[in-house]
Amino acid sequence: MNGTFSDACGVVAATLLGIPLVLLPGYALGGLTGILGFRTLAPGDRLLCAALLGIGLLPALESLLIQAGGVPVAALATGTAGLVALRPALRSLRESLDRAALALALLWLGVVAYALIDVDTGAALYRPVTVIDLVKHAALTRAIVEHGLPPVDPFFARPERAGYYYGFYTLTALVDWAGGRLVDGRTAFAGLAFWTGLALLGLLDRLLAATGLVADAVPRHVRRAVLLLLPAGSLDILLVLADRATSGSWLPIPEWLNEQVLNWPASLVWVPHHVAGALAGWLGLVALAEVADRTRPDRRAEAAAIGVAALAFAACAGLSVWVCLGTACAAGAWLVLLGLERRWRAAARLSVAGLLSAALATPYLLSVLANRTDGGAPIRFSIRRFGPLDGLADEPALSALRLILLPLNYYTALGVCAAGALLFWRLVPRRQAHGREAGRLLTLCAAASLLLGGVLRSAILNNDLGARVVLLAQVATLVWTVVALTRLSEARRLRFPGLLAALLILGYATTLYGFVGMRAYPASDRPAFARLAGRPDIDRALRAAYAWAGTHLPRDLVLQQSPLPRRVFDFGLYGLQPTGVADAEARLFGAPPEAVAARLAGVAPIFRDRLDGPAVRRRAEAAGIGALVVTAQDAPWSSPDSWVWRSPAVYADPLVRILRVEDLHD
């Protein structure tokens, strides 16, 4: 079957499976708890809130269910729970669905598919640039489906399990398992990215309502402002143009020119697990904030808020440890303020929710601590990088410049929402902005996330802390901008001031450029992207080879393709069997760096040097490898008398051969 058609069908199937595995359970939780005024919401708002509850709460529950009974038990239990909400959810759907809503949903599904599926021409396979991260998402999903929780390390075969935040992948694993042969790890991830986008709309709707700042606004203007602002990115398009003028080439990923702050569409297709973490963190805070605003909340409402917040905070920890750090800091600051105001009951609710969430997240946290053996502090002090300053000075002058220009750095990264936030604080008095607890939490979350992202960085591969904790501030500045625009709008139309309109256009340009770059990156003159493009004909052959291996070779057989390229993708995107060592970044899931280096040193010569069969067999067996995946790009392929051709292959085509290690001979 054509790869593009197969992927498109898989994305549609995975998206549909999100209805019984995400939307309906979320609807049932909303109906059970009545949280965020769920029972009184309009039908369309109720469906968006159900998506928010599904994405924001289920990862904590699914983690416990999978550990107790495995993926099949968790999927069946979740689907059964969702049946309770089937009739009311269908009623809400009939009452709310119109052509505009359906068109927007289909457009968003098309964007997700564009960003994540392969383009198969019949002779070659062209993959999106998102495979840089997609390989991790697909491989971890597969690991959970095959082995449960904690997941095995999909990048480095070892007895220990992976030490990684796996909350989002509990949901992708359910969809992957339920989808059978129609769905794999890649398409399950795409389906969940779609539902995370709808959940984001649900959060913004509930957060705007909870602040009370748009109570008098025209609802149509609020919805239009949200939809117009969501696609807008940063001002990085200006950095792209400057870089083009100096380097003479185009960089396909604009956010690489500065410390990364992705626009919402890009975040949702690159890192929806971090977005889901932000949704969960905000959900827990808003659930408690709504009860704190009531003069005398009844005990049932208090219990529901504490329970939902505890689940949400536990889910946040499992979805994104970096976003959870920002959420915890904001919650801590809120707790201090509540104590200073002697609002002991609200402080007690927050404290109890925090303690319960810690108890719920304990199995996950213990597994991460036990299975990360890479050593060293995961966080270190560092002033946030500002791209235009790169190379202008040495330390410590560079850090001093970065600190001085940190506000400009954030303004560039947040774009129109930075200007909108400043406009909000000019238009809205502080007393009114903080009139409800949700409004005060906007300020606390923005301050906590911008401070953490400004002076700290994660030390594991890339600076995910700096890039992801800012999601909390992105939510806050977006809400502030929506409020500011509705305050300026006239009765019949939404009005954008001149500066905001210009920044909105630049933000659109950044987003559009990034999405074009997802597919056009092979045309870039940058060596890294030329290597990423690779050999599309071999990529297509590898996809077919791994598909064959998945049905004809034992699932526990360790397959190894060449780890020599800077990044290797095929084993994680298409394979079902484990791999010995992925590539130079195989320590991502907690494997010891020295063990990764040693295995790379042992395995790399198999694909780089001209060894005889016995030597190859000794090296492969020492690494626990059961079969070798060799392509026309590997050095031994070109030698007619090498082990590649002197040994029988269990799978062979003109570009790829799979050989069992036990069959290698001289």
Side-chain angles (χ1 to χ4, degrees):
M1 182 185 294
N2 178 271
T4 302
F5 180 74
S6 174
D7 287 356
C9 291
V11 170
V12 171
T15 302
L16 292 175
L17 284 168
I19 296 174
L21 295 175
V22 176
L23 182 66
L24 292 182
Y27 202 107
L29 287 169
L32 177 66
T33 62
I35 201 70
L36 305 181
F38 186 86
R39 301 187 187 103
T40 60
L41 294 177
D45 295 340
R46 202 178 305 141
L47 288 172
L48 291 178
C49 188
L52 170 63
L53 294 172
I55 294 293
L57 300 181
L58 288 178
L61 296 172
E62 304 301 351
S63 296
L64 298 174
L65 284 171
I66 292 174
Q67 289 187 67
V71 171
V73 170
L76 293 172
T78 303
T80 302
L83 290 176
V84 176
L86 181 58
R87 290 183 63 184
L90 287 175
R91 191 182 311 117
S92 295
L93 183 63
R94 286 195 301 268
E95 294 174 4
S96 63
L97 191 63
D98 55 29
R99 290 183 180 180
L102 181 60
L104 285 172
L106 291 175
L107 175 63
W108 172 232
L109 182 61
V111 169
V112 170
Y114 165 87
L116 295 173
I117 70 173
D118 293 339
V119 174
D120 183 357
T121 65
L125 195 72
Y126 297 93
R127 300 184 297 212
V129 75
T130 50
V131 295
I132 294 172
D133 275 4
L134 187 57
V135 59
K136 169 188 68 179
H137 306 315
L140 194 55
T141 297
R142 178 196 69 207
I144 295 173
V145 172
E146 294 291 331
H147 302 283
L149 292 177
V152 299
D153 191 330
F155 277 20
F156 188 80
R158 58 187 175 118
E160 300 84 8
R161 297 292 179 120
Y164 198 74
Y165 35 92
Y166 53 70
F168 190 78
Y169 307 101
T170 61
L171 298 180
T172 59
L174 299 193
V175 171
D176 186 354
W177 178 84
R181 293 189 177 183
L182 279 176
V183 177
D184 61 9
R186 297 173 304 118
T187 53
F189 177 82
L192 264 296
F194 171 87
W195 286 106
T196 307
L198 297 192
L200 175 60
L201 289 176
L203 173 70
L204 294 172
D205 177 70
R206 292 298 84 216
L207 189 52
L208 283 162
T211 64
L213 295 172
V214 292
D216 298 327
V218 179
R220 182 179 71 256
H221 288 171
V222 176
R223 290 193 298 270
R224 190 170 297 172
V226 169
L227 292 175
L228 286 172
L229 289 169
L230 273 176
S234 65
L235 306 184
D236 285 342
I237 190 65
L238 300 178
L239 302 183
V240 169
L241 295 174
D243 179 70
R244 165 66 179 176
T246 56
S247 70
S249 62
W250 295 99
L251 181 67
I253 303 177
E255 292 81 9
W256 283 11
L257 291 170
N258 198 5
E259 196 68 76
Q260 190 180 94
V261 175
L262 288 173
N263 56 77
W264 287 111
S267 283
L268 286 164
V269 297
W270 277 93
V271 288
H273 55 306
H274 290 296
V275 178
L279 300 183
W282 270 113
L283 173 59
L285 293 172
V286 174
L288 292 170
E290 281 206 330
V291 176
D293 285 327
R294 302 180 191 179
T295 307
R296 290 184 178 179
D298 61 75
R299 291 190 176 183
R300 182 175 297 178
E302 286 186 302
I306 291 171
V308 166
L311 276 175
F313 293 151
C316 181
L319 288 162
S320 172
V321 67
W322 311 122
V323 174
C324 184
L325 178 63
T327 303
C329 288
W334 188 29
L335 182 62
V336 170
L337 291 176
L338 291 173
L340 292 173
E341 295 166 352
R342 297 182 180 277
R343 298 174 61 187
W344 306 119
R345 196 171 185 88
R349 286 192 293 265
L350 177 57
S351 300
V352 171
L355 292 172
L356 286 175
S357 69
L360 289 169
T362 293
Y364 150 74
L365 294 172
L366 290 177
S367 76
V368 171
L369 293 173
N371 294 306
R372 288 208 73 88
T373 54
D374 41 4
I379 299 173
R380 61 183 175 86
F381 176 80
S382 177
I383 304 300
R384 189 178 187 87
R385 172 182 169 240
F386 189 25
L389 298 180
D390 290 350
L392 289 183
D394 296 325
E395 295 293 353
L398 180 60
S399 289
L401 283 173
R402 286 173 172 173
L403 183 61
I404 293 169
L405 295 178
L406 188 59
L408 178 61
N409 189 352
Y410 275 131
Y411 194 98
T412 302
L414 297 172
V416 64
C417 288
L422 295 176
L423 179 61
F424 169 87
W425 287 108
R426 283 173 48 199
L427 293 174
V428 182
R430 186 175 66 86
R431 184 181 296 273
Q432 185 181 357
H434 293 172
R436 295 187 185 180
E437 289 300 323
R440 183 159 68 166
L441 282 169
L442 289 174
T443 303
L444 292 175
C445 284
S449 66
L450 293 177
L451 178 61
L452 291 173
V455 301
L456 297 176
R457 67 168 288 124
S458 52
I460 304 170
L461 298 179
N462 303 313
N463 182 20
D464 264 355
L465 188 159
R468 311 311 171 200
V469 74
V470 180
L471 284 163
L472 296 171
Q474 288 180 262
V475 171
T477 55
L478 177 59
V479 169
W480 286 333
T481 305
V482 170
V483 174
L485 290 174
T486 57
R487 296 290 175 98
L488 293 175
S489 297
E490 301 169 356
R492 293 189 177 182
R493 66 187 182 92
L494 190 68
R495 187 170 71 87
F496 274 80
L499 176 61
L500 265 69
L503 294 176
L504 184 71
I505 292 170
L506 289 173
Y508 286 164
T510 298
T511 301
L512 181 62
Y513 177 87
F515 271 81
V516 170
M518 287 180 187
R519 292 293 175 179
Y521 72 91
S524 172
D525 295 330
R526 304 291 175 105
F529 290 96
R531 290 193 297 269
L532 182 62
R535 287 274 304 271
D537 55 342
I538 291 180
D539 290 334
R540 188 175 191 274
L542 278 168
R543 174 170 170 154
Y546 274 109
W548 179 89
T551 57
H552 292 82
L553 295 179
R555 288 292 180 90
D556 60 350
L557 185 73
V558 177
L559 267 63
Q560 181 67 55
Q561 71 180 101
S562 172
L564 290 171
R566 182 70 181 84
R567 293 297 309 277
V568 179
F569 305 109
D570 305 273
F571 77 94
L573 294 173
Y574 314 119
L576 295 179
Q577 284 86 359
T579 190
V581 57
D583 50 37
E585 295 192 4
R587 66 185 181 92
L588 174 66
F589 295 100
E594 60 277 7
V596 172
R599 188 168 296 174
L600 283 171
V603 172
I606 294 175
F607 300 90
R608 183 189 61 217
D609 302 335
R610 295 192 175 183
L611 306 176
D612 58 22
V616 170
R617 181 169 180 168
R618 283 194 300 271
R619 288 178 176 271
E621 289 178 341
I625 296 166
L628 298 167
V629 182
V630 192
T631 76
Q633 285 183 299
D634 299 323
W637 185 279
S638 59
S639 176
D641 60 347
S642 76
W643 56 272
V644 174
W645 303 106
R646 292 174 63 87
S647 303
V650 294
Y651 175 89
D653 80 359
L655 296 172
V656 176
R657 289 169 68 86
I658 300 177
L659 299 94
R660 295 286 295 254
V661 171
E662 63 188 24
D663 295 333
L664 297 179
H665 55 76
D666 219 352

